[in-house]
Amino acid sequence: MLDHILSIPRFLGKLNRALSLAVLSLKGLLGFNALDSSDRKIAFYSEDNASWVFFEPIVRELLETHEKKICYLTSSADDPILTSPGDKVKGFYVGSGWVRTYLFLTLKASVMVMTLPDLETYHLKRSKEKPVHYVYVFHALTSTSMVYRSGAFDHFDALLCVGPHHIKEIRANEKLYNLKPKTLVESGYGRLDSIIEEVRSCPRSIPEGGKRKVLVAPTWGNNALLETCAFELVAILLENRYQVIYRPHPMTSLHRQKLLTELNRRFEKNEDFSCETDVGSQKSLHASDIMISDWSGTAIEYAFGLERPVIFIDLPKKVNNPEYHKIPFEPFEVTIRSKIGRVMSPDSLNEIPEHIEELCSNPDSYIQAIQRIRSASVFNVGASGAVGATYIAQTLEKLEESHEENS
């Protein structure tokens, strides 16, 4: 009875927050719809705070080079864009419930830019009010076939593709399922461009006391590193006098909190262990000498952006599309692993220290190899934002010309 009584304030607190957010999202919907049509031609939708890093290079170019106005719709109540949007960016909180669903159904923008796949497949639909042009921005370097659900990109009008693998896979998917061809833009990857920029202003750290810093950054899921062998791996690294930074996937903090807490409890007394849950911070990436991962797309970003090696623990693939084998190309995240680091069996964790030393001993050779692989794998390295923004601006102009001709 006492536990029940004590839980009432927590319940009322959650209820009050839910009601406040519902009111705030409704206010955002009304505010967006109240704008003059000239002020909401280009809309970006952000499902969480992490989306901005993928949009930022494109938004910057749209504002500075093309002098466009931007509407930024977000499902995160603490999105920084809501408090400091800038002169030409209007931010609106739309929540993640019925208000957001209604906004999508009745969207009155010319172009909508998103990093969220599965448009039209679930509760977020294309607008029934206006023929909006939907543009997808990839938030990972990985392939489209294996880690995304079937049909994830079928209802977009254009995709800002990261590299040649996206072009090949999407065209093969369109042929396989007899889909209308989409506009595939050879854009590149804005997050990678940002990391490369950050590297220039963040010099590589020197190991403290002779200890190398190892960043452990896995993906999430039942067969991921934390769920299988993270405890053993961290113990081996610490025993071999490495500084270990464990950086869990954001979804791990939501769905595996007890396991993550246990990992912290097990090693928190060791001064060489730390856990970084703030995915907005890039400090650990720049401070580390090498990364250990499984199937995380962040590992490819790390190798391509920081030009440092990765050790991949060969756990079961992360498959969200059981029909991915129908696309006649091996997924990029499978083929690239042995080119940018080492692939090791989870049964050989004791051999990892030896491989760390070998991979870190000749950085110049590794950097040269990475730069060649990166150039062949990613479009427009360093300039993806300009390419994406130009496509959006030109598309908007064509839509306006077409509207004038038909009016």
Side-chain angles (χ1 to χ4, degrees), residues 28-29 31-46 52 55 59 62-63 68-74 81-82 85-94 103 107-114:
L29 169 68
F32 174 73
N33 285 337
L35 291 175
D36 186 85
S37 59
S38 63
D39 291 329
R40 49 178 161 83
K41 293 179 180 179
I42 302 175
F44 283 72
Y45 169 65
S46 169
W52 174 248
F55 289 145
V59 171
L62 283 170
L63 296 177
K68 300 296 183 182
K69 296 178 181 179
I70 301 294
C71 285
Y72 200 84
L73 309 172
T74 176
I81 207 74
L82 296 174
D87 296 335
K88 293 185 179 181
V89 178
K90 296 184 182 298
F92 300 93
Y93 172 71
V94 298
L103 184 145
L107 184 66
K108 299 181 184 68
S110 297
V111 179
M112 167 62 97
V113 187
M114 304 166 57

Side-chain angles (χ1 to χ4, degrees), residues 46-55 72 76 79-80 115 139 191 250 279-280:
S46 169
E47 62 267 30
D48 52 39
N49 286 354
S51 300
W52 174 248
V53 297
F54 305 102
F55 289 145
Y72 200 84
S76 175
D79 197 314
T115 62
H139 59 268
R191 178 69 193 117
V279 295

Side-chain angles (χ1 to χ4, degrees), residues 137-148:
V137 176
F138 283 94
H139 59 268
L141 288 153
T142 54
S143 289
T144 61
S145 55
M146 188 170 73
V147 299
Y148 295 95

Side-chain angles (χ1 to χ4, degrees), residues 185 246 356:
V185 183
Y246 192 89
I356 290 175

Side-chain angles (χ1 to χ4, degrees), residues 218-232:
T219 187
W220 72 286
N222 294 332
N223 296 315
L225 201 61
L226 181 63
E227 290 76 7
T228 56
C229 58
F231 288 78
E232 181 184 359

Side-chain angles (χ1 to χ4, degrees), residues 169-182:
E169 292 162 0
I170 293 297
R171 290 298 183 226
N173 185 73
E174 290 170 346
K175 183 178 180 180
L176 177 64
Y177 295 104
N178 194 28
L179 301 173
K180 178 183 177 181
K182 289 171 280 296

